C-alpha cells in the first residue's frame, strides 16, 4: 500500500514529506535513497528517536521528515554527516558493552580468592569483605538495570546484569563462610531473581505495565531508604549509630510513591518520583569514592591495601561508558560515570601516588590516558552532532538542546 504523504515547502529547492503510513517505508529521491532509520537516542519513556541536528533525518514516534530535494553538495554533505553520526552511535554502544571486561576483572579476583579460602577452610578471611556494602552495591545495580532496560540501552543493561550476578556470587560465598546472615542472603536472592526476570520480561515486551510500575515503586522505596542510611553510616563513630535516616527516608519514599500513583501529584511531580530510583542508584555509586576517601583520611596507612590495578580497572570501566552517556544526552548516566571515573578510579590512583604506593610512570600513563579519552569523547561527539565546539555537547547534556 502506498504511503499517504503531506508535503511542506521549506526553500526554493527543498521540501519535506511526512510519511504517515507505513512507518517503516522509505522515500526514494534523486539525492537521497533509502535513508536508514536507526536508533540514535532513547528517551526515558522508551520511545526511540534521533537527535535533532540539521544533517540527520528528524524522527519521532509517529512520523519522519525526509529531505527529498537538495543540491549535489547538500546531498553529499548530508549523507556524510549521517554516516558519521551513525558510526559514532555504533562505537559508543560498543564502548559501553566493552565496560563488561574491566568490571568483570574487578570481581573475579575476589571471587577466586574467596573460593580458595573456602576450600582451605579459612572462613574467617571472608569476614574482611563487608557484606552490607556489597548488598548496597547489589541494590544499586538492580536499580540501574531497570533504568537502562526502560531506555532500551542493551549494552548498559548487560553491564548491570553482570554486576548483579557477580555481586550475588560473592554474597553467596560470604553466606557459606558465615560472614553474612542467612536470612539476609535469602531475601537478597529472592529480590535478585525477581528483578532479573521482570527486567528481562519488560525488555522483550512480555510484562504488563502494572507489574513494571510495582517493581519501579519497590526499587524507588528501597533506594531512598538505603542511600541516606549508607551516607550516615560512613561517618560512624563521629555520629551516633542510628537507623533514623533510613527509617525517615522510608516514610517519605512510601508517601511520595503513594501520592504519585493516586494522582495527588502534578505531571512534573510524577516524573520526578519515577526518576528517583535511577538517581538514588547513581548517588549510591557516587558515594563510594567519598566513603573511600574519608577512610583514607582517617586511616592513611590503609591506603596501602588498595590495588592500583583495581583502581585503574574501575576508571576504565566507568570511562568506557562516558561516550555513550554523552551521545544520548543522559545527564544521570554521565554524572555517575564521570564521578566514578574521576573520583573513585583516578582519585584513588592519585592518593596512591601521593602516598608513594605506585610508580610515577603508572600515574603519568593513567593521567595521560584519562585526559586523552575524555578529549576524544568530546571531540567525536561534537563532530557527530555537527557542532563546532565540544562545549555545545556539554550544554545540550545539562540544559537540553
Amino acid at each position: 500500500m502506498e504511503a499517504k504523504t503531506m508535503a511542506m515547502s521549506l526553500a526554493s529547492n527543498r521540501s519535506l514529506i511526512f510519511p504517515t503510513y507505513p512507518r517503516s517505508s522509505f522515500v526514494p529521491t534523486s539525492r537521497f535513497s533509502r535513508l536508514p532509520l536507526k536508533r540514535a537516542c532513547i528517551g526515558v519513556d522508551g520511545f526511540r528517536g534521533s537527535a535533532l541536528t540539521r544533517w540527520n533525518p528528524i524522527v519521532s514516534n509517529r512520523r519522519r521528515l525526509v529531505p527529498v530535494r537538495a543540491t549535489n553538495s547538500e546531498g553529499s554533505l548530508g549523507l556524510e554527516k549521517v554516516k558519521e553520526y551513525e558510526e559514532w552511535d555504533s562505537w559508543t554502544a560498543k564502548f559501553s558493552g566493552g565496560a563488561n571486561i574491566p568490571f568483570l576483572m574487578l570481581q573475579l579476583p575476589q571471587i577466586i580468592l574467596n573460593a580458595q579460602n573456602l576450600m582451605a577452610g579459612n572462613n574467617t578471611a571472608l569476614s574482611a569483605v563487608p557484606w552490607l556494602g556489597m548488598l548496597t552495591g547489589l541494590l544499586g545495580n538492580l536499580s540501574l538495570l531497570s533504568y537502562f532496560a526502560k531506555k532500551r540501552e542493551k549494552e548498559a543493561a548487560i553491564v548491570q546484569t553482570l554486576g548483579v550476578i557477580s555481586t550475588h556470587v560473592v554474597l553467596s560465598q560470604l553466606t557459606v563462610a558465615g560472614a553474612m546472615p542467612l536470612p539476609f542472603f535469602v531475601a537478597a536472592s529472592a529480590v535478585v531473581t525477581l528483578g532479573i526476570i521482570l527486567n528481562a520480561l519488560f525488555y522483550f515486551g512480555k510484562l504488563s505495565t502494572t507489574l513494571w510500575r510495582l517493581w519501579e515503586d519497590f526499587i524507588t522505596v528501597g533506594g531512598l531508604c538505603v542511600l541516606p542510611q549508607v551516607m550516615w553510616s560512613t561517618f560512624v563513630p563521629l555520629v551516633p549509630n542510628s537507623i533514623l535516616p533510613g527509617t525517615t527516608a522510608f516514610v517519605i519514599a512510601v508517601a511520595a510513591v503513594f501520592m504519585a500513583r493516586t494522582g495527588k501529584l502534578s505531571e512534573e511531580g510524577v516524573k520526578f518520583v519515577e526518576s528517583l530510583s535511577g538517581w538514588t542508584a547513581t548517588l549510591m555509586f557516587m558515594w563510594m569514592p567519598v566513603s573511600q576517601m574519608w577512610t583514607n583520611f582517617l586511616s592513611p596507612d590503609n591506603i596501602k591495601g588498595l590495588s592500583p590495578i583495581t583502581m585503574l580497572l574501575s576508571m576504565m570501566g566507568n570511562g568506557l561508558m562516558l561516550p555513550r552517556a554523552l551521545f544520548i544526552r543522559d545527564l544521570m548516566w554521565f554524572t555517575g560515570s564521570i564521578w566514578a571515573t574521576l573520583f573513585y578510579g583516578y582519585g584513588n590512583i592519585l592518593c596512591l601516588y601521593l602516598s608513594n604506593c605506585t610508580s610515577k610512570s603508572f600515574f603519568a600513563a593513567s593521567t595521560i590516558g584519562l585526559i586523552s579519552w575524555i578529549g576524544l569523547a568530546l571531540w567525536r561527539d561534537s563532530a557527530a552532532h555537527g557542532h563546532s565546539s565540544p562545549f555545545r555537547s556539554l550544554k545540550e547534556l545539562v540544559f537540553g538542546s
Side-chain angles (χ1 to χ4, degrees):
M1 182 180 295
E2 295 184 356
K4 297 178 181 179
T5 62
M6 178 179 66
M8 178 178 67
S9 296
L10 289 183
S12 59
N13 63 342
R14 293 199 302 174
S15 65
L16 291 175
I17 287 190
F18 295 74
T20 58
Y21 179 84
R23 289 177 60 186
S24 60
S25 63
F26 292 86
V27 180
T29 72
S30 59
R31 311 296 182 204
F32 292 81
S33 60
R34 297 184 63 82
L35 289 176
L37 175 58
K38 291 188 67 175
R39 168 169 63 85
C41 64
I42 303 174
V44 176
D45 59 357
F47 289 102
R48 301 189 176 193
S50 70
L52 304 182
T53 70
R54 65 176 184 176
W55 289 290
N56 297 319
I58 302 175
V59 182
S60 71
N61 59 316
R62 293 187 177 181
R63 61 186 181 181
R64 180 162 57 103
L65 308 184
V66 182
V68 296
R69 286 198 298 273
T71 63
N72 288 332
S73 60
E74 287 176 333
S76 61
L77 179 61
L79 289 176
E80 179 184 345
K81 291 301 179 180
V82 168
K83 182 179 179 181
E84 184 177 9
Y85 185 91
E86 292 177 348
E87 284 181 349
W88 189 236
D89 180 12
S90 175
W91 275 111
T92 56
K94 291 176 182 177
F95 292 146
S96 180
N100 283 303
I101 298 175
F103 282 140
L104 275 178
M105 293 175 66
L106 278 173
Q107 287 284 30
L108 280 178
Q110 186 66 59
I111 294 174
I112 294 173
L113 180 61
N114 290 346
Q116 291 173 343
N117 284 324
L118 286 174
M119 289 186 291
N122 187 17
N123 294 354
T124 306
L126 275 74
S127 300
V129 181
W131 68 268
L132 187 58
M134 300 292 292
L135 190 61
T136 302
L138 180 66
L139 180 59
N141 284 129
L142 269 178
S143 297
L144 289 179
L145 170 59
S146 300
Y147 178 80
F148 290 122
K150 190 173 183 179
K151 291 175 69 68
R152 298 296 191 273
E153 282 291 330
K154 180 179 66 175
E155 293 80 9
I158 292 175
V159 171
Q160 301 304 325
T161 302
L162 292 178
V164 169
I165 294 174
S166 60
T167 304
H168 186 261
V169 170
V170 174
L171 290 178
S172 66
Q173 293 175 323
L174 297 180
T175 303
V176 172
M180 179 180 180
L182 181 60
F184 285 93
F185 175 74
V186 172
S189 299
V191 172
V192 166
T193 303
L194 181 63
I196 292 178
I197 292 175
L198 290 178
N199 278 280
L201 291 175
F202 177 80
Y203 185 84
F204 293 106
K206 304 296 183 181
L207 188 69
S208 68
T209 304
T210 301
L211 286 177
W212 179 251
R213 285 183 176 177
L214 287 174
W215 169 252
E216 284 189 312
D217 292 343
F218 172 77
I219 59 177
T220 297
V221 173
L224 285 176
C225 291
V226 171
L227 177 62
Q229 189 62 49
V230 169
M231 295 173 70
W232 180 271
S233 299
T234 299
F235 301 106
V236 173
L238 295 181
V239 296
N241 192 2
S242 171
I243 62 170
L244 181 62
T247 304
T248 304
F250 174 78
V251 174
I252 296 174
V254 171
V257 169
F258 177 78
M259 293 175 66
R261 296 309 180 202
T262 55
K264 303 295 184 182
L265 297 179
S266 63
E267 183 178 352
E268 291 75 14
V270 172
K271 290 181 179 180
F272 174 76
V273 172
E274 290 177 347
S275 67
L276 284 177
S277 61
W279 274 108
T280 51
T282 300
L283 290 172
M284 283 183 208
F285 289 111
M286 289 176 66
W287 189 253
M288 290 175 63
V290 176
S291 178
Q292 182 64 59
M293 290 182 178
W294 177 253
T295 301
N296 296 343
F297 173 75
L298 294 178
S299 305
D301 292 338
N302 288 348
I303 197 172
K304 297 178 181 180
L306 292 179
S307 168
I309 300 299
T310 298
M311 296 299 106
L312 178 64
L313 289 172
S314 176
M315 185 180 76
M316 291 174 59
N318 287 286
L320 283 170
M321 291 187 169
L322 285 175
R324 187 64 183 174
L326 178 62
F327 181 77
I328 68 172
R329 303 298 189 256
D330 191 320
L331 180 59
M332 189 208 75
W333 188 5
F334 184 86
T335 301
S337 295
I338 193 68
W339 182 276
T341 300
L342 295 178
F343 293 100
Y344 187 68
Y346 183 75
N348 280 301
I349 290 176
L350 177 61
C351 290
L352 288 167
Y353 173 69
L354 295 176
S355 302
N356 296 320
C357 296
T358 189
S359 65
K360 183 177 181 179
S361 59
F362 181 87
F363 173 72
S366 301
T367 303
I368 294 172
L370 177 61
I371 294 174
S372 301
W373 179 251
I374 294 177
L376 174 65
L378 290 172
W379 167 61
R380 284 300 307 269
D381 187 88
S382 60
H385 285 87
H387 302 325
S388 58
S389 170
F391 295 105
R392 174 71 181 275
S393 294
L394 294 175
K395 180 181 178 180
E396 289 181 353
L397 173 71
V398 178
F399 302 105
S401 56

